[in-house]
Amino acid sequence: MNKNRRTFIKNMALAGGCAYFSLSPTRLLGEEGEKRIAPMERVDDNSLNYKQTIIILKKAYMREIQAHLAYTKFSLKALEEGYSNIAYLFKSFAVAESIHGRNFRNALVSLGEQPISPAEKIEVLSTKENLGQAISLELKEIDIYYPEHIRTIKAEEHWNSITAVSHALASEKQHEHLLQKMKKGTGIFWSMLKQKIEGEDVAFFICQVCGSTLTEIPDICPICGKPNSFYKEIEKAK
Ligand SMILES: [Zn+2]
């Protein structure tokens, strides 16, 4: 290997920019094998070294896009039924889910893979029922899917993917918290719930890096640690 290429690979590994370079070619193929490494071979190496990560990223991407589509429809349904704040909540969640989807897509592309879009099958019920659907969706993400995903992909050490999945999990926790907060103190009666939600002047702000969803702009993002300039106020649903 010529000196320039060796230095380049070493610098990339040091910078931690591309996980591929963190495995030295010598470790992968031996002294003889490193001569055979060509850029075209990276994809094959990735599909071997990050097999589980790729499977999980594809699954998570599909679920996030599915959630994005569902929340967009729930938002329209809420508007139709006259619940503008609930429509706004769903619209904001839809934005956050698309940010998670984008992050998973980017991680897949960096591994030489393409995401697969979900076949759209979304049941839109009444807004009251859609809120219930949203809570159970978020709970599944928090309690089952994402913790499982993190456990599975940790061993493969593709840190961009681990970060993307961890950020999505933290953001879904915020969603679930917001949904529960809306219900809190209103009892179990829908009429009281909708009165409370619709009576509030609410605003949603979303971190464009990680999808963090908050009702106030923080000093720094509590999930990804980026400055608050990455937060965008979501426009009301209309
Ligand atoms: Zn963030």
mmCIF file of all heavy atoms in Angstrom, residues 50-91:
data_model
loop_
_atom_site.group_PDB
_atom_site.id
_atom_site.type_symbol
_atom_site.label_atom_id
_atom_site.label_comp_id
_atom_site.label_asym_id
_atom_site.label_seq_id
_atom_site.Cartn_x
_atom_site.Cartn_y
_atom_site.Cartn_z
ATOM 1 N N TYR A 50 -21.856 -5.629 8.661
ATOM 2 C CA TYR A 50 -22.981 -4.934 9.294
ATOM 3 C C TYR A 50 -24.318 -5.571 8.915
ATOM 4 O O TYR A 50 -25.310 -4.874 8.720
ATOM 5 C CB TYR A 50 -22.955 -3.450 8.905
ATOM 6 C CG TYR A 50 -21.663 -2.781 9.284
ATOM 7 C CD1 TYR A 50 -20.801 -2.300 8.315
ATOM 8 C CD2 TYR A 50 -21.292 -2.660 10.623
ATOM 9 C CE1 TYR A 50 -19.592 -1.707 8.662
ATOM 10 C CE2 TYR A 50 -20.094 -2.074 10.976
ATOM 11 C CZ TYR A 50 -19.253 -1.602 10.000
ATOM 12 O OH TYR A 50 -18.063 -1.022 10.347
ATOM 13 N N LYS A 51 -24.306 -6.886 8.833
ATOM 14 C CA LYS A 51 -25.482 -7.617 8.369
ATOM 15 C C LYS A 51 -26.732 -7.295 9.214
ATOM 16 O O LYS A 51 -27.768 -6.925 8.683
ATOM 17 C CB LYS A 51 -25.172 -9.120 8.449
ATOM 18 C CG LYS A 51 -26.013 -9.956 7.536
ATOM 19 C CD LYS A 51 -25.559 -11.406 7.586
ATOM 20 C CE LYS A 51 -26.650 -12.292 7.029
ATOM 21 N NZ LYS A 51 -26.489 -13.670 7.426
ATOM 22 N N GLN A 52 -26.593 -7.427 10.532
ATOM 23 C CA GLN A 52 -27.736 -7.176 11.423
ATOM 24 C C GLN A 52 -28.140 -5.702 11.397
ATOM 25 O O GLN A 52 -29.324 -5.373 11.423
ATOM 26 C CB GLN A 52 -27.391 -7.593 12.870
ATOM 27 C CG GLN A 52 -27.255 -9.084 13.076
ATOM 28 C CD GLN A 52 -28.515 -9.841 12.689
ATOM 29 O OE1 GLN A 52 -29.626 -9.388 12.932
ATOM 30 N NE2 GLN A 52 -28.341 -10.978 12.054
ATOM 31 N N THR A 53 -27.133 -4.833 11.358
ATOM 32 C CA THR A 53 -27.401 -3.390 11.337
ATOM 33 C C THR A 53 -28.248 -3.033 10.122
ATOM 34 O O THR A 53 -29.219 -2.280 10.238
ATOM 35 C CB THR A 53 -26.071 -2.604 11.316
ATOM 36 O OG1 THR A 53 -25.292 -3.013 12.449
ATOM 37 C CG2 THR A 53 -26.304 -1.111 11.371
ATOM 38 N N ILE A 54 -27.894 -3.595 8.974
ATOM 39 C CA ILE A 54 -28.625 -3.302 7.735
ATOM 40 C C ILE A 54 -30.070 -3.808 7.835
ATOM 41 O O ILE A 54 -31.015 -3.099 7.478
ATOM 42 C CB ILE A 54 -27.883 -3.904 6.514
ATOM 43 C CG1 ILE A 54 -26.600 -3.095 6.260
ATOM 44 C CG2 ILE A 54 -28.761 -3.923 5.266
ATOM 45 C CD1 ILE A 54 -25.593 -3.763 5.338
ATOM 46 N N ILE A 55 -30.240 -5.014 8.365
ATOM 47 C CA ILE A 55 -31.604 -5.568 8.511
ATOM 48 C C ILE A 55 -32.441 -4.653 9.403
ATOM 49 O O ILE A 55 -33.573 -4.296 9.084
ATOM 50 C CB ILE A 55 -31.553 -7.007 9.104
ATOM 51 C CG1 ILE A 55 -30.904 -7.967 8.094
ATOM 52 C CG2 ILE A 55 -32.941 -7.490 9.498
ATOM 53 C CD1 ILE A 55 -30.577 -9.348 8.659
ATOM 54 N N ILE A 56 -31.866 -4.256 10.544
ATOM 55 C CA ILE A 56 -32.593 -3.422 11.509
ATOM 56 C C ILE A 56 -32.899 -2.044 10.921
ATOM 57 O O ILE A 56 -34.013 -1.527 11.069
ATOM 58 C CB ILE A 56 -31.763 -3.268 12.817
ATOM 59 C CG1 ILE A 56 -31.618 -4.619 13.523
ATOM 60 C CG2 ILE A 56 -32.349 -2.208 13.738
ATOM 61 C CD1 ILE A 56 -32.882 -5.243 14.027
ATOM 62 N N LEU A 57 -31.912 -1.450 10.238
ATOM 63 C CA LEU A 57 -32.134 -0.122 9.638
ATOM 64 C C LEU A 57 -33.280 -0.168 8.629
ATOM 65 O O LEU A 57 -34.101 0.752 8.566
ATOM 66 C CB LEU A 57 -30.860 0.379 8.951
ATOM 67 C CG LEU A 57 -29.725 0.861 9.849
ATOM 68 C CD1 LEU A 57 -28.482 1.144 9.019
ATOM 69 C CD2 LEU A 57 -30.114 2.103 10.653
ATOM 70 N N LYS A 58 -33.335 -1.229 7.852
ATOM 71 C CA LYS A 58 -34.409 -1.353 6.855
ATOM 72 C C LYS A 58 -35.774 -1.467 7.530
ATOM 73 O O LYS A 58 -36.733 -0.833 7.111
ATOM 74 C CB LYS A 58 -34.163 -2.564 5.937
ATOM 75 C CG LYS A 58 -33.073 -2.274 4.911
ATOM 76 C CD LYS A 58 -32.883 -3.423 3.936
ATOM 77 C CE LYS A 58 -31.838 -3.019 2.887
ATOM 78 N NZ LYS A 58 -31.458 -4.124 2.016
ATOM 79 N N LYS A 59 -35.841 -2.276 8.588
ATOM 80 C CA LYS A 59 -37.102 -2.434 9.328
ATOM 81 C C LYS A 59 -37.523 -1.105 9.957
ATOM 82 O O LYS A 59 -38.675 -0.700 9.884
ATOM 83 C CB LYS A 59 -36.914 -3.451 10.476
ATOM 84 C CG LYS A 59 -37.059 -4.887 10.074
ATOM 85 C CD LYS A 59 -37.072 -5.732 11.349
ATOM 86 C CE LYS A 59 -36.765 -7.181 11.067
ATOM 87 N NZ LYS A 59 -36.548 -7.954 12.289
ATOM 88 N N ALA A 60 -36.551 -0.467 10.624
ATOM 89 C CA ALA A 60 -36.851 0.783 11.332
ATOM 90 C C ALA A 60 -37.265 1.877 10.346
ATOM 91 O O ALA A 60 -38.180 2.655 10.621
ATOM 92 C CB ALA A 60 -35.643 1.225 12.154
ATOM 93 N N TYR A 61 -36.597 1.910 9.188
ATOM 94 C CA TYR A 61 -36.959 2.902 8.163
ATOM 95 C C TYR A 61 -38.419 2.716 7.754
ATOM 96 O O TYR A 61 -39.189 3.671 7.712
ATOM 97 C CB TYR A 61 -36.045 2.760 6.938
ATOM 98 C CG TYR A 61 -36.470 3.638 5.793
ATOM 99 C CD1 TYR A 61 -36.099 4.983 5.758
ATOM 100 C CD2 TYR A 61 -37.276 3.147 4.757
ATOM 101 C CE1 TYR A 61 -36.514 5.807 4.718
ATOM 102 C CE2 TYR A 61 -37.691 3.968 3.721
ATOM 103 C CZ TYR A 61 -37.308 5.290 3.699
ATOM 104 O OH TYR A 61 -37.734 6.109 2.683
ATOM 105 N N MET A 62 -38.789 1.472 7.471
ATOM 106 C CA MET A 62 -40.172 1.193 7.047
ATOM 107 C C MET A 62 -41.172 1.635 8.109
ATOM 108 O O MET A 62 -42.189 2.241 7.795
ATOM 109 C CB MET A 62 -40.347 -0.310 6.804
ATOM 110 C CG MET A 62 -39.908 -0.760 5.438
ATOM 111 S SD MET A 62 -40.186 -2.529 5.275
ATOM 112 C CE MET A 62 -41.438 -2.563 4.043
ATOM 113 N N ARG A 63 -40.868 1.327 9.369
ATOM 114 C CA ARG A 63 -41.803 1.691 10.447
ATOM 115 C C ARG A 63 -41.924 3.198 10.605
ATOM 116 O O ARG A 63 -42.998 3.721 10.844
ATOM 117 C CB ARG A 63 -41.370 1.049 11.759
ATOM 118 C CG ARG A 63 -41.829 -0.390 11.933
ATOM 119 C CD ARG A 63 -42.015 -0.717 13.411
ATOM 120 N NE ARG A 63 -40.991 -0.062 14.198
ATOM 121 C CZ ARG A 63 -39.776 -0.539 14.401
ATOM 122 N NH1 ARG A 63 -39.424 -1.699 13.894
ATOM 123 N NH2 ARG A 63 -38.919 0.137 15.126
ATOM 124 N N GLU A 64 -40.790 3.903 10.489
ATOM 125 C CA GLU A 64 -40.830 5.359 10.646
ATOM 126 C C GLU A 64 -41.620 6.016 9.517
ATOM 127 O O GLU A 64 -42.379 6.949 9.756
ATOM 128 C CB GLU A 64 -39.406 5.933 10.694
ATOM 129 C CG GLU A 64 -38.625 5.559 11.944
ATOM 130 C CD GLU A 64 -39.200 6.174 13.223
ATOM 131 O OE1 GLU A 64 -39.936 7.171 13.148
ATOM 132 O OE2 GLU A 64 -38.915 5.630 14.305
ATOM 133 N N ILE A 65 -41.431 5.522 8.298
ATOM 134 C CA ILE A 65 -42.164 6.098 7.165
ATOM 135 C C ILE A 65 -43.656 5.770 7.303
ATOM 136 O O ILE A 65 -44.516 6.611 7.050
ATOM 137 C CB ILE A 65 -41.593 5.595 5.803
ATOM 138 C CG1 ILE A 65 -40.128 6.051 5.676
ATOM 139 C CG2 ILE A 65 -42.423 6.100 4.627
ATOM 140 C CD1 ILE A 65 -39.870 7.540 5.831
ATOM 141 N N GLN A 66 -43.932 4.558 7.758
ATOM 142 C CA GLN A 66 -45.317 4.161 7.999
ATOM 143 C C GLN A 66 -45.943 5.077 9.064
ATOM 144 O O GLN A 66 -47.074 5.537 8.905
ATOM 145 C CB GLN A 66 -45.349 2.687 8.464
ATOM 146 C CG GLN A 66 -46.731 2.101 8.636
ATOM 147 C CD GLN A 66 -47.365 1.672 7.314
ATOM 148 O OE1 GLN A 66 -46.718 1.729 6.267
ATOM 149 N NE2 GLN A 66 -48.623 1.285 7.360
ATOM 150 N N ALA A 67 -45.203 5.336 10.121
ATOM 151 C CA ALA A 67 -45.705 6.217 11.192
ATOM 152 C C ALA A 67 -45.895 7.632 10.649
ATOM 153 O O ALA A 67 -46.888 8.299 10.975
ATOM 154 C CB ALA A 67 -44.728 6.222 12.368
ATOM 155 N N HIS A 68 -44.966 8.086 9.826
ATOM 156 C CA HIS A 68 -45.084 9.417 9.216
ATOM 157 C C HIS A 68 -46.392 9.524 8.422
ATOM 158 O O HIS A 68 -47.134 10.495 8.548
ATOM 159 C CB HIS A 68 -43.872 9.696 8.312
ATOM 160 C CG HIS A 68 -44.082 10.820 7.359
ATOM 161 N ND1 HIS A 68 -43.988 12.137 7.753
ATOM 162 C CD2 HIS A 68 -44.417 10.834 6.046
ATOM 163 C CE1 HIS A 68 -44.252 12.917 6.710
ATOM 164 N NE2 HIS A 68 -44.515 12.144 5.672
ATOM 165 N N LEU A 69 -46.660 8.487 7.612
ATOM 166 C CA LEU A 69 -47.875 8.490 6.790
ATOM 167 C C LEU A 69 -49.129 8.425 7.669
ATOM 168 O O LEU A 69 -50.108 9.120 7.409
ATOM 169 C CB LEU A 69 -47.858 7.300 5.816
ATOM 170 C CG LEU A 69 -46.743 7.324 4.750
ATOM 171 C CD1 LEU A 69 -46.678 5.988 4.021
ATOM 172 C CD2 LEU A 69 -46.950 8.474 3.753
ATOM 173 N N ALA A 70 -49.070 7.589 8.715
ATOM 174 C CA ALA A 70 -50.221 7.451 9.611
ATOM 175 C C ALA A 70 -50.512 8.780 10.308
ATOM 176 O O ALA A 70 -51.661 9.244 10.331
ATOM 177 C CB ALA A 70 -49.949 6.355 10.637
ATOM 178 N N TYR A 71 -49.482 9.412 10.867
ATOM 179 C CA TYR A 71 -49.694 10.674 11.584
ATOM 180 C C TYR A 71 -50.195 11.780 10.653
ATOM 181 O O TYR A 71 -50.984 12.630 11.053
ATOM 182 C CB TYR A 71 -48.401 11.109 12.287
ATOM 183 C CG TYR A 71 -48.127 10.329 13.552
ATOM 184 C CD1 TYR A 71 -46.839 9.907 13.881
ATOM 185 C CD2 TYR A 71 -49.160 10.029 14.441
ATOM 186 C CE1 TYR A 71 -46.583 9.199 15.045
ATOM 187 C CE2 TYR A 71 -48.915 9.312 15.607
ATOM 188 C CZ TYR A 71 -47.618 8.901 15.904
ATOM 189 O OH TYR A 71 -47.373 8.204 17.060
ATOM 190 N N THR A 72 -49.726 11.752 9.406
ATOM 191 C CA THR A 72 -50.208 12.752 8.438
ATOM 192 C C THR A 72 -51.711 12.566 8.224
ATOM 193 O O THR A 72 -52.476 13.537 8.206
ATOM 194 C CB THR A 72 -49.450 12.594 7.098
ATOM 195 O OG1 THR A 72 -48.054 12.723 7.363
ATOM 196 C CG2 THR A 72 -49.850 13.657 6.091
ATOM 197 N N LYS A 73 -52.136 11.310 8.113
ATOM 198 C CA LYS A 73 -53.567 11.034 7.912
ATOM 199 C C LYS A 73 -54.373 11.351 9.167
ATOM 200 O O LYS A 73 -55.481 11.878 9.083
ATOM 201 C CB LYS A 73 -53.769 9.574 7.501
ATOM 202 C CG LYS A 73 -53.249 9.319 6.097
ATOM 203 C CD LYS A 73 -53.779 8.020 5.529
ATOM 204 C CE LYS A 73 -53.516 8.001 4.021
ATOM 205 N NZ LYS A 73 -53.966 6.781 3.381
ATOM 206 N N PHE A 74 -53.809 11.011 10.334
ATOM 207 C CA PHE A 74 -54.508 11.305 11.593
ATOM 208 C C PHE A 74 -54.698 12.817 11.738
ATOM 209 O O PHE A 74 -55.706 13.282 12.259
ATOM 210 C CB PHE A 74 -53.705 10.800 12.802
ATOM 211 C CG PHE A 74 -53.616 9.293 12.916
ATOM 212 C CD1 PHE A 74 -52.820 8.716 13.918
ATOM 213 C CD2 PHE A 74 -54.310 8.456 12.060
ATOM 214 C CE1 PHE A 74 -52.732 7.333 14.044
ATOM 215 C CE2 PHE A 74 -54.214 7.075 12.174
ATOM 216 C CZ PHE A 74 -53.420 6.519 13.182
ATOM 217 N N SER A 75 -53.692 13.574 11.297
ATOM 218 C CA SER A 75 -53.757 15.033 11.387
ATOM 219 C C SER A 75 -54.905 15.565 10.528
ATOM 220 O O SER A 75 -55.700 16.411 10.974
ATOM 221 C CB SER A 75 -52.419 15.628 10.942
ATOM 222 O OG SER A 75 -52.488 17.034 10.950
ATOM 223 N N LEU A 76 -55.002 15.058 9.325
ATOM 224 C CA LEU A 76 -56.081 15.499 8.420
ATOM 225 C C LEU A 76 -57.450 15.130 8.987
ATOM 226 O O LEU A 76 -58.388 15.924 8.925
ATOM 227 C CB LEU A 76 -55.897 14.870 7.029
ATOM 228 C CG LEU A 76 -54.674 15.371 6.251
ATOM 229 C CD1 LEU A 76 -54.471 14.558 4.976
ATOM 230 C CD2 LEU A 76 -54.803 16.861 5.909
ATOM 231 N N LYS A 77 -57.517 13.931 9.576
ATOM 232 C CA LYS A 77 -58.787 13.477 10.165
ATOM 233 C C LYS A 77 -59.188 14.381 11.344
ATOM 234 O O LYS A 77 -60.351 14.752 11.489
ATOM 235 C CB LYS A 77 -58.630 12.018 10.637
ATOM 236 C CG LYS A 77 -59.872 11.410 11.231
ATOM 237 C CD LYS A 77 -60.920 11.128 10.167
ATOM 238 C CE LYS A 77 -62.196 10.560 10.782
ATOM 239 N NZ LYS A 77 -63.261 10.426 9.771
ATOM 240 N N ALA A 78 -58.201 14.736 12.166
ATOM 241 C CA ALA A 78 -58.480 15.596 13.323
ATOM 242 C C ALA A 78 -58.975 16.971 12.860
ATOM 243 O O ALA A 78 -59.902 17.542 13.447
ATOM 244 C CB ALA A 78 -57.224 15.732 14.187
ATOM 245 N N LEU A 79 -58.377 17.490 11.803
ATOM 246 C CA LEU A 79 -58.825 18.783 11.250
ATOM 247 C C LEU A 79 -60.277 18.687 10.781
ATOM 248 O O LEU A 79 -61.091 19.554 11.068
ATOM 249 C CB LEU A 79 -57.945 19.173 10.066
ATOM 250 C CG LEU A 79 -56.706 20.023 10.323
ATOM 251 C CD1 LEU A 79 -56.081 20.405 8.983
ATOM 252 C CD2 LEU A 79 -57.017 21.290 11.119
ATOM 253 N N GLU A 80 -60.520 17.588 10.089
ATOM 254 C CA GLU A 80 -61.869 17.344 9.555
ATOM 255 C C GLU A 80 -62.897 17.306 10.693
ATOM 256 O O GLU A 80 -64.017 17.784 10.548
ATOM 257 C CB GLU A 80 -61.798 15.987 8.847
ATOM 258 C CG GLU A 80 -62.922 15.625 7.918
ATOM 259 C CD GLU A 80 -62.724 14.165 7.449
ATOM 260 O OE1 GLU A 80 -61.685 13.896 6.792
ATOM 261 O OE2 GLU A 80 -63.573 13.309 7.774
ATOM 262 N N GLU A 81 -62.481 16.759 11.848
ATOM 263 C CA GLU A 81 -63.403 16.656 12.988
ATOM 264 C C GLU A 81 -63.356 17.902 13.872
ATOM 265 O O GLU A 81 -63.991 17.932 14.917
ATOM 266 C CB GLU A 81 -63.057 15.396 13.815
ATOM 267 C CG GLU A 81 -63.348 14.100 13.070
ATOM 268 C CD GLU A 81 -63.109 12.854 13.918
ATOM 269 O OE1 GLU A 81 -62.525 12.954 15.020
ATOM 270 O OE2 GLU A 81 -63.503 11.771 13.470
ATOM 271 N N GLY A 82 -62.566 18.877 13.479
ATOM 272 C CA GLY A 82 -62.543 20.154 14.205
ATOM 273 C C GLY A 82 -61.590 20.213 15.394
ATOM 274 O O GLY A 82 -61.716 21.087 16.239
ATOM 275 N N TYR A 83 -60.619 19.296 15.481
ATOM 276 C CA TYR A 83 -59.660 19.320 16.599
ATOM 277 C C TYR A 83 -58.324 19.863 16.098
ATOM 278 O O TYR A 83 -57.426 19.093 15.723
ATOM 279 C CB TYR A 83 -59.454 17.914 17.166
ATOM 280 C CG TYR A 83 -60.726 17.210 17.562
ATOM 281 C CD1 TYR A 83 -61.002 15.927 17.126
ATOM 282 C CD2 TYR A 83 -61.670 17.843 18.384
ATOM 283 C CE1 TYR A 83 -62.171 15.280 17.479
ATOM 284 C CE2 TYR A 83 -62.842 17.199 18.733
ATOM 285 C CZ TYR A 83 -63.083 15.927 18.274
ATOM 286 O OH TYR A 83 -64.243 15.299 18.626
ATOM 287 N N SER A 84 -58.182 21.161 16.105
ATOM 288 C CA SER A 84 -56.986 21.745 15.468
ATOM 289 C C SER A 84 -55.705 21.469 16.250
ATOM 290 O O SER A 84 -54.652 21.262 15.645
ATOM 291 C CB SER A 84 -57.180 23.236 15.222
ATOM 292 O OG SER A 84 -57.471 23.881 16.431
ATOM 293 N N ASN A 85 -55.775 21.436 17.592
ATOM 294 C CA ASN A 85 -54.545 21.163 18.356
ATOM 295 C C ASN A 85 -54.082 19.719 18.205
ATOM 296 O O ASN A 85 -52.883 19.449 18.147
ATOM 297 C CB ASN A 85 -54.738 21.485 19.841
ATOM 298 C CG ASN A 85 -54.403 22.935 20.151
ATOM 299 O OD1 ASN A 85 -53.913 23.662 19.277
ATOM 300 N ND2 ASN A 85 -54.662 23.366 21.367
ATOM 301 N N ILE A 86 -55.032 18.810 18.177
ATOM 302 C CA ILE A 86 -54.656 17.396 17.995
ATOM 303 C C ILE A 86 -54.097 17.215 16.578
ATOM 304 O O ILE A 86 -53.113 16.491 16.376
ATOM 305 C CB ILE A 86 -55.846 16.451 18.259
ATOM 306 C CG1 ILE A 86 -56.331 16.629 19.708
ATOM 307 C CG2 ILE A 86 -55.456 14.995 18.017
ATOM 308 C CD1 ILE A 86 -57.597 15.868 20.051
ATOM 309 N N ALA A 87 -54.686 17.920 15.619
ATOM 310 C CA ALA A 87 -54.165 17.876 14.246
ATOM 311 C C ALA A 87 -52.729 18.389 14.221
ATOM 312 O O ALA A 87 -51.860 17.821 13.542
ATOM 313 C CB ALA A 87 -55.046 18.728 13.335
ATOM 314 N N TYR A 88 -52.480 19.433 14.999
ATOM 315 C CA TYR A 88 -51.140 20.029 15.076
ATOM 316 C C TYR A 88 -50.148 19.052 15.729
ATOM 317 O O TYR A 88 -49.015 18.892 15.274
ATOM 318 C CB TYR A 88 -51.251 21.327 15.873
ATOM 319 C CG TYR A 88 -49.985 22.136 16.003
ATOM 320 C CD1 TYR A 88 -49.041 22.181 14.976
ATOM 321 C CD2 TYR A 88 -49.731 22.879 17.157
ATOM 322 C CE1 TYR A 88 -47.890 22.939 15.106
ATOM 323 C CE2 TYR A 88 -48.587 23.641 17.297
ATOM 324 C CZ TYR A 88 -47.660 23.664 16.262
ATOM 325 O OH TYR A 88 -46.518 24.400 16.396
ATOM 326 N N LEU A 89 -50.595 18.379 16.789
ATOM 327 C CA LEU A 89 -49.758 17.368 17.449
ATOM 328 C C LEU A 89 -49.369 16.263 16.454
ATOM 329 O O LEU A 89 -48.191 15.921 16.315
ATOM 330 C CB LEU A 89 -50.525 16.757 18.635
ATOM 331 C CG LEU A 89 -49.847 15.578 19.332
ATOM 332 C CD1 LEU A 89 -48.914 16.067 20.438
ATOM 333 C CD2 LEU A 89 -50.876 14.622 19.927
ATOM 334 N N PHE A 90 -50.347 15.733 15.750
ATOM 335 C CA PHE A 90 -50.073 14.660 14.787
ATOM 336 C C PHE A 90 -49.162 15.146 13.660
ATOM 337 O O PHE A 90 -48.283 14.419 13.210
ATOM 338 C CB PHE A 90 -51.375 14.105 14.205
ATOM 339 C CG PHE A 90 -52.132 13.183 15.141
ATOM 340 C CD1 PHE A 90 -53.516 13.178 15.186
ATOM 341 C CD2 PHE A 90 -51.453 12.295 15.968
ATOM 342 C CE1 PHE A 90 -54.215 12.322 16.034
ATOM 343 C CE2 PHE A 90 -52.141 11.432 16.823
ATOM 344 C CZ PHE A 90 -53.528 11.453 16.850
ATOM 345 N N LYS A 91 -49.392 16.369 13.221
ATOM 346 C CA LYS A 91 -48.559 16.906 12.140
ATOM 347 C C LYS A 91 -47.092 16.986 12.607
ATOM 348 O O LYS A 91 -46.173 16.627 11.869
ATOM 349 C CB LYS A 91 -49.059 18.306 11.744
ATOM 350 C CG LYS A 91 -48.306 18.881 10.573
ATOM 351 C CD LYS A 91 -48.683 20.320 10.278
ATOM 352 C CE LYS A 91 -47.761 20.889 9.202
ATOM 353 N NZ LYS A 91 -47.967 22.322 8.984
#
